Amino acid sequence: MNRENQELIFEISKEGRIGYSLPELDVPATNINDLIPSEYQREEEPDLPEVSELQIVRHYTALSTRNHGVDSGFYPLGSCTMKYNPKINEDVARFPGFAHLHPYQDPSTIQGALELMYKLQTSLEEITGMDQVTLQPAAGAHGEWTGLMMIRAFHEANGDYHRTKVIVPDSAHGTNPASATVAGFESVTVRSNEKGIVDLDHLREVVGEDTAALMLTNPNTLGLFEEEIVEMAKIVHEAGGKLYYDGANSNAILGITRPGDMGFDVVHLNLHKTFTTPHGGGGPGSGPVGVKKELVPYLPKPVIMKDGDNYYFEYNLPESIGRVKPYYGNFGINVRAYTYIRTMGPVGLRKVSEYAVLNANYMFRRLEPYFDAPYKQHCKHEFVLSGRRQKKLGVRTLDIAKRLLDFGYHPPTIYFPLNVEECLMIEPTETESKETLDEFIDAMIQIAKEAEGNPEIVQEAPHNTVIDRLDETTAARKPVLRYQKEN
Amino acid sequence: MKFRYLPMTDKDQKDMMETIGIDNIDELFADIPKDIRFDGDLKIEEALDETTLLKEMGRLANKNINIKEYNSFLGAGVYEHYVPTVVNHMLLRSEFYTAYTPYQPEISQGELQAIFEFQTMVCELTGMEIANSSMYDGPTALAEAAMMSAGHTRKKTILVSKTVHPEAREVLKTNAKGQNLTVVEIDEKDGVTDLDHLSSEYSDDTACVVVQYPNFLGNVEDLKAIEKIAHQGKGLFVVSSNPLSLGVLQPPGKFGADVVVGDVQPFGISTQLGGPHCGYFAVTKKLMRKVPGRLVGQTTDDHGNRGFVLTLQAREQHIRRDKATSNICSNQALNALAASIAMSALGKHGVKDMAMQNIQKAHYAKEQLKKNGLEIAFDKPTFNEFVVRLNKPVKEVNEELLAHKIIGGYDLSRDYPDKENMMLVAVTELRSKEDIEEFASVLGGVK
């Protein structure tokens, strides 16, 4: 990694340099004052950089060497499914026939794009066991909100205005309660039991006439399958509520079990997790939502339909929740996901989940002697360990995470789920080789031993990164959120 | 059947199962009740080898007409622009695109610094003090701005001009329903917001006034007058703006906007059927702690070296959970990077140069259309879009244009019942003098 102090692009800038090439204006120029009134003309030029093309290339190349991606090394970040992002997906998304389409072209001129979206929808319907899928939501959280808005519309159409509560397990992702709030619901927490799954007795207590839905991740964020799911569905449905499936952890279930068969009414998927589209340093993602028949009328506008060989957008949806996104979702991301599904097919997708789960269990069993394992049963695609034992030696989970950086790894998710003390949540994915897993396991064992014999090396980590631990407190107390030129 | 993304060998599998203490992978799924286990193969299309797959994806791509092959005058929120070659090359540095959100700053300095630079560029263009790291797109950013305004002012009515992008207004209405807010649409008059109607709707319950600059019909709104109305009570002034236009137009920050949003798609992001693009969100300092989404801040390490971190996270969903005012988590970081690279390449001069060419070429197109007997609907200052009045439905005209390899403008009757036969035409720097003249002459013939 590049340890040099890295200048900002603004600091490289020098008056008079350019990094672009536009043709000379080929139409007669009119005096700008005749076109734009002077009070609407910019007075002060925006202080954007003045740099040459090579300077741009050096700058961003240098930045890239100060960043760790899946291509740089192992990235076992729990619940994020950091698997390989295939190169062919990137190439296909850049085909001019996909990259250079305008959303307002006549549908007759984008039949290939519509066919692709229709086929992707149909594939996702089969994979999730749902009746209809929309590709509109831009990300997982956006999908959650879309799904909850549909559930709200369904209840309101039945005159059920008193269904104001969404039940969320204590191990849920933070987006679940946040999405419930922005969809106008109140969230209620349901506890997990000692086995790490939802406590059915507590669920029976909190469910009632005011229940709009239960949101559930399955396998949950502890990597455990909610084995009572059928009973849970029954409890919620009998109370008149709907079941929402947070698809963040779908990498464990492809071709093995389907949310639709478990009893879920609404599902969202994160194509940037399970279906290999890149995380991009935080986005863009894509969060398609699938629903059962009863909820189909409430899908966001428009939906893609097929009539013979003709594909089209249907806007006449009187009960729809409306638009959630301009145009038709993150099409470029959906192209990548469809390319992946066509690469793997039904057999490949099932293997994906089998190997993701096999890898996770292998790591779990090998690490179990060295760290506390709050839940002992077989896990699915991810598992949690607790750093309690190391904490007693003065080494916190944060220190373990930082020490892993020295070995060239991105650390696991830490301090989540909230119901596990000093939590480490590890998700290897199926695209990693056994050798990679073994090397990571060796590093973890070494760190566990260091915690006993030489805790300082862990506490003071990282030692090999481009920068040491940063002062996050000052960053938040005295925020500096943009560059200001020194005078 | 073997797959190139799956490195598991038979021996690996055997060794791993032995470590776990199982004889069969199925044992790992024994906790899934039998009646919900999926039997057999998923009924999806079979796997394709790499070569056949490229052919199939090529078939789908080639079924479409792409705007590079045709002479396109379609805009309406999504624009075809010059993209410096360097953008895609830098974007393909896979340390950027295969990374997660930069929660581990020590190994994410590249991404964090790039976003810090992005935030700075957005502030510079919009004339605002604070910008976040990105939103999904312009319209969802606009909806979030209205939600934030309602949260901040504790007022429940959003006034939005009908000259704001119709799809942005639709997204806003869906969001408002979620938060039990009221959206009141302000009429358009002569191609801009009807100020009398705006004044008459403004009340004690107004959370914000939302306008677009230049507006959906291409016209430059009178932000000075609108600001006065927006701030006559406690309401916030929200402006959605095409950031490229701000290379020449006075930025909304100078007119007292509290929130400026929009989409940086004109900078380095291809149209790709409308997504993914990249929303931006900029505010005044007093709203810093109300901003949705991620913010990157500058700080130092133990040795005093400058570094960057995600900051003010107490605002966000993963900390606040049900108290959060926005649920955004994933954003459009990679597209923010694309826009940053494009803005760096264009730089101070290029942004102005390109914006100016848009104004000049759109103006030339207006003149040429007039010459060919067409009427320009509004006599207002415009950036790169304007409305032309035809004698028959835009849909019919566009079909005829297509035969001439021209993609015509946007059909305004889709959203505005009073705008039958009106076409919204976009002319960017990519249209040559010949392109414009050909369009004007063909349109003059078929109008």
Side-chain angles (χ1 to χ4, degrees), chain B residues 173-201:
Chain B
K173 285 176 204 164
T174 312
N175 276 264
K177 183 158 188 347
Q179 308 265 293
N180 302 314
L181 304 173
T182 308
V183 175
V184 176
E185 295 194 321
I186 305 300
D187 289 339
E188 167 248 320
K189 194 181 166 196
D190 302 328
V192 291
T193 305
D194 181 341
L195 298 184
D196 293 335
H197 188 214
L198 177 61
S199 284
S200 71
E201 289 292 348

Side-chain angles (χ1 to χ4, degrees), chain B residues 92-108:
Chain B
L92 281 171
R93 294 288 308 187
S94 67
E95 298 89 340
F96 291 129
Y97 79 80
T98 71
Y100 194 71
T101 305
Y103 286 126
Q104 295 291 336
E106 295 89 344
I107 54 169
S108 313

Side-chain angles (χ1 to χ4, degrees), chain B residues 140-379:
Chain B
T140 58
L142 179 141
E144 289 265 14
M147 298 305 111
M148 183 193 76
S149 302
H152 177 71
T153 59
R154 298 177 185 276
K155 297 186 185 294
K156 297 247 172 222
T157 304
I158 291 149
L159 305 183
V160 60
S161 172
K162 281 184 188 166
T163 64
V164 166
H165 197 302
E167 295 200 15
R169 283 183 281 135
E170 284 184 52
V171 173
L172 170 63
K173 285 176 204 164
T174 312
N175 276 264
K177 183 158 188 347
Q179 308 265 293
N180 302 314
L181 304 173
T182 308
V183 175
V184 176
E185 295 194 321
I186 305 300
D187 289 339
E188 167 248 320
K189 194 181 166 196
D190 302 328
V192 291
T193 305
D194 181 341
L195 298 184
D196 293 335
H197 188 214
L198 177 61
S199 284
S200 71
E201 289 292 348
Y202 197 98
S203 75
D204 274 353
D205 194 45
T206 301
C208 58
V209 170
V210 186
V211 297
Q212 186 176 323
Y213 169 82
N215 70 23
F216 185 68
L217 304 172
N219 299 317
V220 175
E221 291 275 357
D222 186 353
L223 291 192
K224 204 170 163 186
I226 297 170
E227 187 271 339
K228 282 205 186 93
I229 301 169
H231 283 156
Q232 70 191 25
K234 292 267 164 62
L236 298 182
F237 183 28
V238 178
V239 181
S240 166
S241 199
N242 175 344
L244 175 64
S245 72
L246 304 180
V248 169
L249 296 183
Q250 183 76 304
K254 289 275 180 190
F255 291 106
D258 300 291
V259 191
V260 183
V261 293
D263 204 305
V264 292
Q265 181 268 326
F267 294 123
I269 300 168
S270 54
T271 53
Q272 42 192 338
L273 203 67
H277 293 168
C278 179
Y280 73 82
F281 198 105
V283 296
T284 55
K285 205 156 199 175
K286 72 168 196 234
L287 292 167
M288 177 174 70
R289 288 172 198 273
K290 302 290 168 83
V291 171
R294 297 170 184 148
L295 287 167
V296 174
Q298 180 182 307
T299 186
T300 51
D301 73 359
D302 301 343
H303 298 96
N305 297 313
R306 177 170 65 187
F308 302 92
V309 291
L310 289 174
T311 194
L312 302 177
Q313 293 192 54
R315 300 164 295 113
E316 289 186 66
Q317 48 76 29
H318 63 286
I319 309 283
R320 280 184 81 85
R321 298 175 75 90
D322 61 329
K323 303 284 184 303
T325 47
S326 165
N327 72 336
I328 191 167
C329 181
S330 283
N331 52 23
Q332 308 282 117
L334 192 69
N335 284 3
L337 176 68
S340 295
I341 301 166
M343 285 189 271
S344 298
L346 288 165
K348 193 187 234 178
H349 300 284
V351 168
K352 186 178 179 182
D353 192 359
M354 192 156 124
M356 198 60 94
Q357 290 210 10
N358 277 257
I359 293 177
Q360 294 288 355
K361 293 203 167 191
H363 175 69
Y364 184 69
K366 280 188 206 171
E367 297 297 311
Q368 290 299 305
L369 288 166
K370 281 193 237 167
K371 245 191 207 170
N372 282 277
L374 289 145
E375 189 194 335
I376 306 303
F378 306 108
D379 182 23

Side-chain angles (χ1 to χ4, degrees), chain A residues 9 11 23 51 115 123 154 177 190 222-223 230 240 253 264 274 279 304 367 404 413-414 436 447 455 479:
Chain A
I9 190 105
E11 293 165 340
V51 283
E115 181 180 340
S123 306
F154 170 83
V190 60
L222 300 165
V230 177
I253 62 157
F264 286 92
T274 316
H279 282 78
I304 299 165
L367 287 170
L404 279 168
T413 298
I414 52 172
T436 301
I447 295 169

Side-chain angles (χ1 to χ4, degrees), chain A residues 279-334:
Chain A
H279 282 78
S286 178
V289 171
V291 294
K292 289 275 180 66
K293 266 200 181 68
E294 276 186 324
L295 286 150
V296 166
Y298 309 103
L299 283 167
K301 286 183 203 183
V303 297
I304 299 165
M305 312 276 268
K306 186 184 178 191
D307 181 13
D309 287 335
N310 180 47
Y311 298 89
Y312 65 98
F313 295 113
E314 181 59 62
Y315 292 91
N316 184 18
L317 305 161
E319 292 175 274
S320 162
I321 58 166
R323 262 198 184 276
V324 298
K325 174 101 175 68
Y327 323 118
Y328 321 112
N330 281 345
F331 174 71
I333 303 301
N334 297 333

